[in-house]
């Protein structure tokens, strides 16, 4: 049961990070790369660099509407909550010095692989070697 909880914590945490990246690309989380609701300036900025009206389409109301209707962001938040619950449960059964390195290291590996598959990010030889070293470290920590 403790391994299942830790595994779920790792998977939900990695999933949450992938969903946050997707949220930033699909709906412009707080002035992300694709903008908010079609507005090109970031949050609180008008095209001329001045502050936008809070009630304007690119202002605070537009930003809030963009956030609460972004399914990727909402799913990411839910995933973070599930990860927190599973990881907290795992911490009642594992030593912190084992659980934390496993959580962060295996999460990093999952996020790197998901980034390659979902976002077409390159997975270079350096990343491959680094990932293998991380996995070797996880094995040593888990046995320690």
């Amino acid at each position: 049961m403790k391994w299942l909880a830790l595994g779920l914590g790792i998977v939900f945490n990695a999933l949450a990070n992938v969903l946050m990246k997707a949220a930033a690309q699909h709906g412009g989380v707080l002035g992300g790369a694709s903008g908010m609701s079609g507005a090109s300036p970031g949050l609180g900025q008008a095209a001329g660099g001045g502050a936008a009206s809070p009630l304007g389409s690119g202002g605070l109301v537009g930003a809030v509407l963009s956030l609460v209707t972004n399914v990727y962001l909402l799913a990411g938040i839910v995933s973070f909550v599930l990860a927190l619950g599973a990881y907290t449960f795992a911490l009642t059964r594992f030593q912190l010095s084992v659980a934390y390195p496993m959580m962060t290291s295996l999460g990093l590996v999952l996020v790197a692989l998901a980034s390659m598959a979902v976002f077409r990010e390159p997975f270079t030889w350096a990343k491959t070697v680094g990932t293998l070293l991380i996995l070797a470290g996880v094995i040593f920590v888990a046995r320690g």
Side-chain angles (χ1 to χ4, degrees):
M1 186 63 145
K2 70 180 187 177
W3 288 102
L4 176 63
L6 184 60
L8 287 173
I10 293 167
V11 169
F12 281 124
N13 186 50
L15 177 62
N17 280 280
V18 171
L19 288 166
M20 290 297 157
K21 167 104 176 172
Q25 291 181 339
H26 298 88
V29 177
L30 296 179
S34 61
M36 291 181 299
S37 304
S40 49
L43 179 63
Q45 293 181 338
S53 165
L55 300 177
S57 64
L60 182 59
V61 172
V64 170
L65 286 175
S66 176
L67 291 175
V68 299
T69 60
N70 189 322
V71 68
Y72 296 106
L73 178 64
L74 297 175
I77 292 169
V78 169
S79 294
F80 273 130
V81 170
L82 292 172
L84 178 63
Y87 181 60
T88 302
F89 177 81
L91 286 177
T92 66
R93 307 304 195 263
F94 280 98
Q95 295 176 6
L96 179 61
S97 62
V98 173
Y100 181 72
M102 291 183 73
M103 175 79 162
T104 57
S105 300
L106 294 176
L108 183 136
V109 171
L110 287 178
V111 168
L113 293 173
S115 297
M116 179 182 63
V118 175
F119 302 112
R120 307 286 186 237
E121 293 180 5
F123 203 79
T124 63
W125 281 104
K127 284 184 184 178
T128 302
V129 170
T131 300
L132 292 173
L133 289 171
I134 289 168
L135 291 173
V138 167
I139 291 168
F140 280 106
V141 168
R143 291 181 178 218

